[in-house]
């Protein structure tokens, strides 16, 4: 804090970053400690058996969880994050190379020293958690695929994109969070208001906040005005396409309709991370019963970021079609996109949210830091003993996991 | 076959490749057909629910399997492979771009046309399976990470390495298969002979054949001579380190010992894919009970390819230490490395064997072509309703999967 105060005085450090660095702020240290205790309280993720098969008498196959190996975790300048991340790495039996935002370097060093001292009195190798403080070390590390198995960048969109572009090993995470909600023609107005307002205003800077609202043409003048009015009352700026703007201009009181903006095409590919929402109208083809939901799905798959998307509809069939068609980690029906979160999902803690197509996807708990291994135990068997005429046959008998 | 016969006559095509192209050879067509039927017989992998949690009254979270998206599958010039791969893609509801070895192009086109015609009469979109026949198309495809989610190269080490280097999306597979077996000092001789001979000679060109044999110094003159003699009788050339060569020269009959070669350091990093085996002696530190098994683990983790490694020991504790320490997809105790195979593991069919550290690992069945998605269904809930003073509490109640 001493050097932060100096940097702040000379204008090198913003007040908001300085505030972040201050672990003495009310509750901050206790929260950090509680985070460690929460991880400690999770079930041991190592060695969980999820498949046992008898291949033959006395030849038993078992699949079980094991750590990935060496993680490179890159995170923002928040001193409390290193404690949480180190706990996750230790609990999952992975080794970790930690690289935090440079403004927190002094705090990271101090906390890292405490972690090392604590590891001394345990069976965990002291150097299984290593802090890198060298400036600009990231690019070099991203090339060491022979030593590092997975990169987990936590922080800005730019940081994640940089890692995805440069890394020679897999990257777990998400760059964009361009979430959408589609209001179908049978949507309940109160439900639509509740879900959209929460998705947009609960925490606009979050990756799971909604950025695009799709509205069926039939409810432009019934459901949408109530939603728009509630959003404007919360300070949200609406970027509307022509049909929605025309209808809202008629239905909203003058003081609200004056705040409407015209959407540009770019708005529908923008993650505002702010109190701004783009609105687009979805039209139906009367000859095709699923044309509207299909158009919404198509918009989301084309413009979205495969993170979290929601539909408001009274119809389970429509919701099912939406969930089957949208190519995202999380598909929600009649509830806020903000529920996409490891804590809210009941995972206890969260490594991050992944929009990857392989390995972990969606909110990633401790199990996202695990892979599996196969163990086979026999008493001298060879593959040549099996098959053919007169050879032994595999039994492939499923065994209980215990 | 007509153009293959011509190419063969002019010396452009080897006899072995021409043999491979001939689907009229006895049993080959039937085997291809059976492969398709086997895939058809597998359980539907889509939509399997593996987690259901009540987050609150009327707010239900569900995790279920879904296809990955678009696969790029690159395979060797074997006409029957396209049928098997197309079946796997269709069964898993993934779209696939198929690129096969050029010598089979005409057969691929014919089979691909049959697949297209068959899809016409189904709900599966006709263009979900596409054959690429353009020469040198691979490098361009490997850059299209916005359209292709996973690359599965099946074929030569060079092909897989090329894909791993060039692909902008994840690659599933393995380049090397450098498998090792360690014979501990308490190993049973008959068991060691059976396991090592099968691992080396059952199919020496396979990725799961053993390439390096580690032998504890105490059994150089007891277990090793029997193993070496059996291997030599099967035509295996032994590349021995100094201690093992000295002992074997004494114990083997003259005609066998004359065939021993001295190992070079490079032998222990070589995937011979042939009837050649490198032998290294493992020594113990009398003051450290686990020094030998730890040395074997260290050798394997340094020189191996993280594919399949085995230990021959009478001790469960030693086997457990080996399995926990070796950083490979498959760790075997007292059985042949050749069991590392999707069919033998009981997966019904095999996409390939992966030495990746994330997503599928080891023999990959149909489930390696699946990922998961989260679905959350509510009735208007927003995240702001929860927590704080007076807010609702998450119930996080585990629900049955059915």
């Amino acid at each position: 804090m001493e050097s932060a105060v100096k940097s702040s005085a000379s204008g090198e450090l913003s007040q908001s970053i300085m505030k972040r660095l201050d672990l003495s702020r009310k509750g901050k240290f206790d929260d950090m400690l509680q985070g460690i205790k929460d991880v400690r309280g999770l079930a041991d993720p190592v060695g969980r058996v999820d498949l046992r098969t008898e291949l033959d008498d006395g030849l038993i196959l078992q699949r079980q969880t094991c750590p990935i190996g060496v993680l490179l975790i890159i995170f923002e300048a928040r001193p409390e994050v290193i404690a949480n991340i180190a706990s996750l790495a230790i609990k999952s039996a992975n080794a970790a190379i930690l690289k935090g935002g440079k403004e927190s370097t002094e705090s990271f060093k101090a906390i890292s020293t405490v972690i090392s001292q604590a590891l001394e009195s345990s069976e965990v190798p002291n150097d299984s958690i290593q802090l890198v403080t060298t400036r600009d070390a990231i690019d070099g590390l991203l090339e060491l695929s022979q030593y590092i198995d997975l990169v987990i960048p936590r922080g800005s969109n730019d940081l994640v994109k940089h890692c995805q572009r440069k890394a020679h090993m897999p990257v777990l995470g998400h760059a964009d969070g361009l979430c959408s909600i589609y209001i179908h023609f049978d949507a309940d107005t109160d439900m639509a208001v509740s879900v959209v307002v929460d998705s947009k205003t609960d925490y606009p800077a979050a990756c799971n906040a909604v950025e695009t609202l799709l509205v069926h043409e039939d409810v432009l003048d019934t459901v949408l005005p109530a939603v728009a009015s509630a959003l404007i009352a919360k300070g949200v700026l609406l970027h509307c396409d022509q049909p929605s703007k025309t209808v809202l201009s008629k239905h909203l009181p003058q003081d609200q309709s004056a705040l409407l903006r015209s959407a540009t095409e770019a708005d529908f590919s923008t993650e505002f991370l702010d109190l701004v929402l783009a609105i687009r109208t979805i039209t139906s083809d009367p000859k095709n019963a699923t044309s509207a939901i299909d158009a919404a799905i198509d918009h989301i798959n084309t413009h979205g970021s495969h993170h979290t998307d929601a539909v408001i509809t009274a119809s389970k069939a429509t919701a099912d079609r939406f969930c089957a068609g949208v190519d995202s980690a999380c598909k929600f029906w009649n509830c806020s996109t903000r529920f996409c979160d490891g804590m809210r999902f009941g995972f206890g803690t969260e490594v991050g949210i992944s929009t990857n197509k392989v390995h972990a996807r969606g909110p990633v708990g401790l199990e996202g830091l695990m892979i599996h291994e196969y163990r086979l135990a026999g008493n001298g068997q060879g593959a040549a003993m099996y098959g053919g005429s007169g050879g032994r046959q595999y039994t492939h008998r499923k065994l209980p996991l215990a």
Side-chain angles (χ1 to χ4, degrees), chain A residues 82-99:
Chain A
I82 190 173
N84 183 255
I85 286 176
S87 311
L88 286 167
I90 294 166
K91 184 83 188 186
S92 61
N94 284 286
I97 299 169
L98 309 177
K99 174 76 180 78

Side-chain angles (χ1 to χ4, degrees), chain A residues 157-384:
Chain A
N157 180 312
D158 283 347
L159 170 70
V160 177
K161 279 195 174 144
H162 180 82
C163 291
Q164 287 171 336
R165 256 196 319 269
K166 294 271 184 175
H168 293 207
M169 64 291 283
V171 177
L172 178 79
H174 69 279
D176 304 299
L178 205 166
C179 305
S180 299
I181 297 177
Y182 167 55
I183 301 179
H184 198 48
F185 60 72
D186 59 358
D188 176 80
T189 301
D190 290 346
M191 209 180 271
V193 170
S194 166
V195 169
V196 176
V197 168
D198 188 83
S199 299
K200 183 71 255 182
T201 68
D202 183 49
Y203 186 17
C207 61
N208 57 12
V210 68
E211 306 289 7
T212 296
L213 181 65
L214 305 171
V215 185
H216 192 277
E217 55 182 346
D218 291 357
V219 293
L220 284 181
D221 58 357
T222 53
V223 179
L224 184 61
V227 172
S229 183
L231 287 167
I232 292 171
K234 288 267 194 176
V236 179
L237 200 62
L238 303 179
H239 291 201
C240 306
D241 70 348
Q242 201 48 59
S244 62
K245 194 173 177 213
T246 304
V247 172
L248 285 179
S249 298
K250 263 187 267 174
H251 281 79
L252 292 181
Q254 174 62 33
D255 62 323
Q256 289 199 330
S257 71
L259 297 170
L260 300 175
R261 296 281 172 278
S262 290
T264 63
E265 191 52 39
D267 282 334
F268 298 104
S269 303
T270 300
E271 187 181 4
F272 299 107
L273 296 171
D274 204 347
L275 288 173
V276 179
L277 182 67
I279 301 182
R280 169 165 278 178
T281 305
I282 296 291
T283 56
S284 280
D285 171 358
K287 283 171 285 188
N288 180 348
T290 62
S291 60
I293 188 75
D294 291 348
I297 291 167
D298 192 47
H299 176 98
I300 289 168
N301 288 345
T302 308
H303 296 80
S305 63
H306 314 292
H307 188 297
T308 301
D309 299 286
V311 62
I312 319 282
T313 175
S315 151
K316 182 170 189 310
T318 300
D320 284 347
R321 191 172 182 93
F322 180 88
C323 291
V326 166
D327 184 21
S328 297
C330 298
K331 300 103 176 265
F332 290 0
W333 175 27
N334 292 344
C335 55
S336 169
T337 55
R338 290 275 299 141
F339 286 113
C340 175
D341 172 274
M343 279 293 295
R344 288 169 189 161
F345 275 15
F347 299 164
T349 188
E350 185 182 279
V351 174
I353 293 178
S354 166
T355 55
N356 289 3
K357 280 305 198 73
V358 297
H359 193 62
R361 197 172 180 228
V364 180
L366 205 50
E367 70 184 54
L369 300 183
M370 310 306 294
I371 46 177
H372 63 247
E373 59 176 42
Y374 289 95
R375 297 187 178 192
L376 182 65
N379 43 40
Q381 291 90 341

